Amino acid sequence: MRSSSGRNSGNNGGSRGAKSGGRGNNYRGAGNGRDERGQSAGRPRKARPEERSYDVSMPSDSAKGGPGGARKGRGDAARGGAKGGPKQSPRQQQQRGGGRTAAPSRSREYDTRTEERNRERYANKPEVKTPKTFPGAEQEGERLQKVLARAGYGSRRACEELIEQARVEVNGEIVLEQGLRVAESDEIRVDGLSVATQSYQFFALNKPAGVVSTMEDPDGRQCLGDYVTNRETRLFHVGRLDTETEGIILLTNHGELAHRLTHPKYGVKKTYLAAVTGPLPREVGRRLKDGIELEDGYARADHFRVVEQVGKNYLVEVVLHEGRKHIVRRMLAEAGFPVEKLVRTAFGPIGLGDQKSGWLRRLSNTEVGMLMKEVGL
């Protein structure tokens, strides 16, 4: 009896010891015989994370619907390379890229030696110059119709029509072909009038009384510069007008033209209207044309006529090419008829017309050509 009970108790103790030993070995990550129990019960064993396989097949495989095709919706995790996905081996990357491998990087020394060899190879060879007729060669000058369009003669098509009508001259020869290239030194004329090919600007201002004929005034008085403050290029006035004299005055950035317009050598005439008090004898005009002696020498008028008479009030027109200070006022005062009001109505071929006082207008291409023709440009 004792022996059998002892054996049973020993067996029970051994089984309890095994059970207790099993619990004692139940550490994290151990299988603890659960997989064996699941397999014995007929249930499939679930793969551990480190044992799972990821499908990295190409999209063409999945399109065929094969068993190795990647499941839809997996995104980058199914192709590898995503965070948490397996890294691909170089062989897998090569298979995915269609067998293409990245070119090995070259060292800087290798590139330097290659460049030196190329320089030595082509150092003594003559430079090949492409002919001007080659389509890719850079041709000199600018097309004539483009120059005319920039000068303000209309669109390029309109300028091409001017050329077709034989109205354009270059260096004295009539141009009949399209696409002729011209340089800045070439002389271009349209209908016999010179064309300002550069970015010149020409304006006419009807100066009011009280405006100083300077571009800036240190005393803060109103001057000509107040009418062109928004211009990008620097303009300057052609000649002067007295502060109390009204009328046309030209503004431009063409230095040579401005110089010739004011030089007595070229004889550009200016026309004035003066209001005086009469009566005026007939010999006044002849006296002004013959010359009146002033403090700085004789002054002669090119033309004189009476425009209007109302009682003793006369409006006379005086034309002269000189530009001395206060010359019209001094001539009429020396003749015995002080000027009450003076207006310059024309500067050479440019007339004031119906331009209002204080208004600034841009000269047309025809007017610019007439001014240049007046001084031989």
Side-chain angles (χ1 to χ4, degrees):
M1 294 295 290
R2 184 178 299 175
S3 60
S4 61
S5 61
R7 287 192 298 270
N8 295 333
S9 62
N11 294 332
N12 296 333
S15 60
R16 286 194 301 272
K19 292 179 181 180
S20 63
R23 287 192 301 269
N25 293 329
N26 189 14
Y27 57 90
R28 186 175 183 181
N32 299 327
R34 288 177 293 180
D35 296 338
E36 289 77 4
R37 290 195 300 271
Q39 289 178 358
S40 61
R43 292 179 296 180
R45 182 174 70 87
K46 186 176 182 181
R48 297 175 183 176
E50 61 272 13
E51 296 177 353
R52 296 175 183 171
S53 62
Y54 294 85
D55 189 1
V56 292
S57 60
M58 296 297 292
S60 59
D61 298 338
S62 62
K64 295 178 181 179
R71 292 186 297 173
K72 297 181 179 179
R74 297 281 308 270
D76 292 335
R79 295 188 296 269
K83 186 175 181 181
K87 296 183 179 180
Q88 297 179 350
S89 64
R91 184 175 181 181
Q92 290 175 338
Q93 295 178 359
Q94 182 177 357
Q95 293 176 354
R96 182 183 176 187
R100 294 174 297 179
T101 56
S105 59
R106 297 181 300 186
S107 62
R108 294 184 178 178
E109 297 179 358
Y110 179 81
D111 293 338
T112 303
R113 290 196 299 269
T114 303
E115 185 176 355
E116 291 178 355
R117 286 197 301 269
N118 292 335
R119 288 180 179 178
E120 294 175 357
R121 182 181 304 173
Y122 298 100
N124 299 326
K125 289 189 176 183
E127 183 181 358
V128 179
K129 295 183 178 180
T130 57
K132 292 183 179 181
T133 57
F134 188 71
E138 183 179 356
Q139 300 183 11
E140 298 179 356
E142 193 174 9
R143 294 185 182 274
L144 179 58
Q145 58 265 36
K146 186 176 180 181
V147 174
L148 294 176
R150 189 175 63 249
Y153 281 89
S155 63
R156 294 188 185 181
R157 179 55 188 163
C159 296
E160 291 176 357
E161 294 179 356
L162 292 176
I163 298 174
E164 293 176 358
Q165 297 170 4
R167 298 170 57 186
V168 183
E169 300 178 13
V170 176
N171 298 328
E173 296 183 1
I174 298 177
V175 180
L176 298 177
E177 60 177 355
Q178 301 291 343
L180 177 66
R181 292 184 176 271
V182 295
E184 293 184 0
S185 58
D186 293 333
E187 182 182 2
I188 305 174
R189 295 178 180 270
V190 176
D191 296 333
L193 301 178
S194 299
V195 177
T197 57
Q198 299 183 8
S199 56
Y200 292 125
Q201 297 184 8
F202 307 88
F203 296 92
L205 172 68
N206 186 358
K207 187 187 85 67
V211 177
V212 184
S213 295
T214 57
M215 302 308 293
E216 295 181 359
D217 186 69
D219 298 332
R221 294 173 296 180
Q222 189 176 9
C223 60
L224 301 177
D226 297 335
Y227 295 89
V228 291
T229 54
N230 58 340
R231 302 294 172 182
E232 297 181 359
T233 58
R234 179 180 176 271
L235 300 174
F236 44 87
H237 52 90
V238 180
R240 292 176 180 271
L241 282 177
D242 305 337
T243 304
E244 299 303 324
T245 300
E246 307 175 22
I248 187 172
I249 187 169
L250 303 181
L251 303 171
T252 182
N253 58 349
H254 197 301
E256 181 62 21
L257 178 62
H259 169 71
R260 295 194 181 191
L261 288 175
T262 55
H263 200 284
K265 171 184 176 181
Y266 298 95
V268 180
K269 297 180 180 180
K270 279 81 70 175
T271 304
Y272 297 86
L273 284 179
V276 297
T277 303
L280 290 179
R282 292 185 177 181
E283 63 272 9
V284 173
R286 180 181 53 83
R287 184 181 175 187
L288 292 175
K289 293 178 182 179
D290 293 340
I292 294 181
E293 185 178 3
L294 304 176
E295 299 88 357
D296 51 356
Y298 275 89
R300 295 178 177 85
D302 298 313
H303 180 70
F304 176 85
R305 70 184 181 96
V306 177
V307 178
E308 185 179 15
Q309 176 187 1
V310 180
K312 294 184 178 182
N313 298 323
Y314 286 80
L315 186 64
V316 297
E317 181 184 78
V318 182
V319 180
L320 70 166
H321 62 272
E322 297 188 49
R324 284 183 278 176
K325 186 178 181 180
H326 305 295
I327 185 169
V328 178
R329 293 179 181 271
R330 289 191 295 161
M331 288 177 64
L332 291 175
E334 186 67 22
F337 305 96
V339 176
E340 300 177 359
K341 185 177 180 180
L342 186 63
V343 179
R344 184 160 69 182
T345 59
F347 193 110
I350 310 301
L352 185 62
D354 57 353
Q355 185 175 350
K356 296 182 180 180
S357 178
W359 281 33
L360 180 75
R361 71 175 181 90
R362 185 186 295 269
L363 296 183
S364 64
N365 296 311
T366 303
E367 291 176 321
V368 174
M370 293 169 61
L371 283 175
M372 291 186 173
K373 185 178 181 180
E374 188 79 11
V375 296
L377 286 178

